[in-house]
């Protein structure tokens, strides 16, 4: 079968009367399901997007490196090889190569997703070059992927989702099961709703997350804090009435679709929706269709759904469903950054690394920063 396919590949150009300079090799089917969209963050600019590589060949294709470039100047923006390749190009099968091989093998019929985060000066068009080998180990192959346009649309602006603080803005692109890497395939499409999601965890000035029993949601510092509408908007969806587990440690898993817990979705216009999730049961003060004003209380921080502790989950997406929409960037119009957790494992047991305070205007809070709102 392999011979037959190779033969076909070799003879096809001749049959068409095309001069073949070198044998063709099968490569990947490549897609970028959601175009990169720029967001202001950490004093600069950033984008998050994914490159999907699908192997339709009958032989394994082993990726050895991927270069991300400015498609107009050729400048290298990011190089994925060795460890960064292994930690960012993830086969959906879960099958991983021996780390010492410094390659990611994508089996026939399989797909891998490259999770890309870029920061600094960003180009208008992004190029990608994939270096790989197929059946011939000593024959390096290179795939140049057509340039991907960067979406220049401004990110959604929201008012603070909470008051006062301090609040930890918990998010990282690198966690294997963090929002940024959780793909939901529903209604015939794979999407990442939480691409830019932030989990807001309440702290006291010593960095504690509870004022009593760490296993009781109601003792959490942030519990029952008013959740505030991010914009003048229409309430597009509400779910209330999901009960909370009496024990944080024994919060049961929920069926797909219930993980968001009690939530409010606000229609921000232009097909964009903000999701405020895990709200306290019975706390939601708004109804579908109602107009809300920026800063208006819409519910209270709680512990409903799939969560390891009371917090407010906030994300913005391009559709009205917590799971069936692509996450898009947002900025918060005003907040004060007072530090960050270099090690998020210390959340709740140690104070953050303080810095600043720095007033932030129209930025997306960076990974694990600690902020105060007015
Ligand atoms: Zn979340």
């Amino acid at each position: 079968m392999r011979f037959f396919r190779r033969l076909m590949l070799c003879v096809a150009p001749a049959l068409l009367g095309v001069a073949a300079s070198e044998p063709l090799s099968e490569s990947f089917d490549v897609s970028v399901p959601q175009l990169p969209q720029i967001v202001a963050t950490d004093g600069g600019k950033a984008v998050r997007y994914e490159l999907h590589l699908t192997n339709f060949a009958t032989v394994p294709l082993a990726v050895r490196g991927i270069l991300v470039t400015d498609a107009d100047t050729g400048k290298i923006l990011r190089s994925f090889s060795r460890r960064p390749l292994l930690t960012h190009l993830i086969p959906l099968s879960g099958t991983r190569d021996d780390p010492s091989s410094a390659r990611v093998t994508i089996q026939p019929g399989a797909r891998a997703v490259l999770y890309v985060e870029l920061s600094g000066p960003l180009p208008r068009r992004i190029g990608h070059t994939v270096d790989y080998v197929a059946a011939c180990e000593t024959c390096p192959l290179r795939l140049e992927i057509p340039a991907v346009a960067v979406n220049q649309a401004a990110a959604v602006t929201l008012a603070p989702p909470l008051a006062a603080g301090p609040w930890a803005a918990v998010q990282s692109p690198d966690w294997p099961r963090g929002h940024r890497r959780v793909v939901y395939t529903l209604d015939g499409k794979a999407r990442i709703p939480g691409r830019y999601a932030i989990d807001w965890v309440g702290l006291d000035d010593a960095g504690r997350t509870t004022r009593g029993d760490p296993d009781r949601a109601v003792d959490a510092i942030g519990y029952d804090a008013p959740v505030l509408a991010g914009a003048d908007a229409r309430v597009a969806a509400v779910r209330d009435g999901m009960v909370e587990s009496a024990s944080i440690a024994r919060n049961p898993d929920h069926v797909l679709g219930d993980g968001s817990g009690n939530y409010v979705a606000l229609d921000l216009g232009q097909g964009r929706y903000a999701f405020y999730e895990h709200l306290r049961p019975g706390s939601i003060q708004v109804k579908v269709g109602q107009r809300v004003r920026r800063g208006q209380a819409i519910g209270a921080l709680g512990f409903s759904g799939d969560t390891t502790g009371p917090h407010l989950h906030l994300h913005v997406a391009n559709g009205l469903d917590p799971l069936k929409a692509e996450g898009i960037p947002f900025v918060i119009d005003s907040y004060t950054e007072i530090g960050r957790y270099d090690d998020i494992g210390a959340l709740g047991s140690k104070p953050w690394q303080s810095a600043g305070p720095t007033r932030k205007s129209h930025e997306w809070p960076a990974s694990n920063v600690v902020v105060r709102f007015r």
Side-chain angles (χ1 to χ4, degrees):
M1 183 63 187
R2 182 181 296 177
F3 175 77
F4 175 73
R5 287 179 66 91
R6 290 181 148 225
L7 183 67
M8 286 299 289
L9 288 168
C10 288
V11 300
L15 291 173
L16 294 170
V18 176
S21 55
E22 58 184 66
L24 288 177
S25 296
E26 293 213 68
S27 66
F28 301 96
D29 177 76
V30 181
S31 64
V32 176
Q34 182 71 7
L35 289 184
Q37 183 178 352
I38 294 172
V39 66
T41 186
D42 227 2
K45 299 229 160 62
V47 293
R48 289 182 171 185
Y49 65 97
E50 303 78 46
L51 200 69
H52 289 215
L53 303 179
T54 306
N55 182 358
F56 283 83
T58 56
V59 295
L61 302 176
V63 178
R64 291 171 154 179
I66 300 178
L67 284 180
V68 182
T69 58
D70 180 328
D72 295 310
T73 67
K75 182 183 171 208
I76 295 173
L77 305 173
R78 187 128 190 222
S79 170
F80 293 97
S81 64
R82 301 184 181 278
R83 184 169 160 71
L85 180 72
L86 302 181
T87 55
H88 287 77
L89 180 61
I90 310 298
L92 297 183
S93 65
T95 307
R96 309 292 279 268
D97 294 79
D98 185 318
S100 65
S101 70
R103 61 166 61 184
V104 174
T105 301
I106 305 174
Q107 297 295 334
R111 178 184 292 196
V113 176
L114 180 73
Y115 295 92
V116 185
E117 293 88 30
L118 304 177
S119 57
L122 297 169
R124 299 188 73 78
R125 302 188 316 137
I126 300 174
H128 301 88
T129 303
V130 182
D131 288 308
Y132 66 103
V133 293
C136 168
E137 279 288 329
T138 55
C139 313
L141 298 167
R142 173 164 276 199
L143 173 65
E144 304 276 356
I145 298 166
V148 173
V150 175
N151 180 353
Q152 302 291 329
V156 171
T157 297
L158 295 178
L162 296 153
W167 298 98
V170 178
Q171 59 98 354
S172 167
D174 298 327
W175 297 329
R177 291 297 298 164
H179 298 110
R180 192 266 177 278
R181 294 195 179 191
V182 178
V183 180
Y184 293 96
T185 308
L186 297 161
D187 290 356
K189 186 164 168 51
R191 305 180 182 92
I192 302 181
R195 189 176 281 108
Y196 293 91
I198 292 177
D199 286 338
W200 298 95
V201 178
L203 302 167
D204 68 9
D205 287 329
R208 286 181 290 253
T209 54
T210 180
R211 51 175 68 91
D213 182 348
D215 195 40
R216 271 169 40 106
V218 295
D219 285 352
I221 303 280
Y223 191 81
D224 212 24
V227 170
L228 311 175
D232 294 348
R234 188 182 65 84
V235 177
V238 167
R239 178 169 62 200
D240 201 348
M242 283 183 61
V243 298
E244 294 175 342
S245 165
S247 157
I248 291 176
R250 292 194 295 280
N251 189 19
D253 289 339
H254 295 75
V255 298
L256 188 64
D258 282 358
S260 319
N262 303 312
Y263 73 91
V264 173
L266 298 182
D267 182 348
L268 307 171
Q270 302 176 307
R272 304 169 305 180
Y273 299 86
F275 292 84
Y276 300 82
E277 302 180 354
H278 307 308
L279 304 181
R280 178 174 68 72
S283 73
I284 295 177
Q285 303 171 29
V286 293
K287 291 188 163 44
V288 172
Q290 180 181 337
R291 303 289 311 183
V292 293
R293 306 292 296 176
R294 177 186 185 279
Q296 177 180 335
I298 55 176
L301 187 148
F303 181 58
S304 56
D306 281 334
T307 159
T308 54
H311 73 276
L312 171 68
H313 167 109
L314 170 63
H315 78 264
V316 177
N318 65 0
L320 181 53
D321 187 284
L323 305 183
K324 299 177 198 169
E326 291 281 16
I328 56 177
F330 62 93
V331 296
I332 293 180
D333 57 10
S334 175
Y335 61 95
T336 302
E337 191 176 301
I338 58 174
R340 75 174 71 201
Y341 277 95
D342 295 330
D343 170 16
I344 198 63
L347 183 71
S349 60
K350 291 182 188 159
W352 58 91
Q353 287 71 51
S354 63
T358 308
R359 288 294 295 166
K360 295 284 187 174
S361 173
H362 292 84
E363 284 198 18
W364 179 60
S367 204
N368 304 330
V369 295
V370 177
V371 312
R372 285 186 193 278
F373 301 118
R374 262 188 228 280

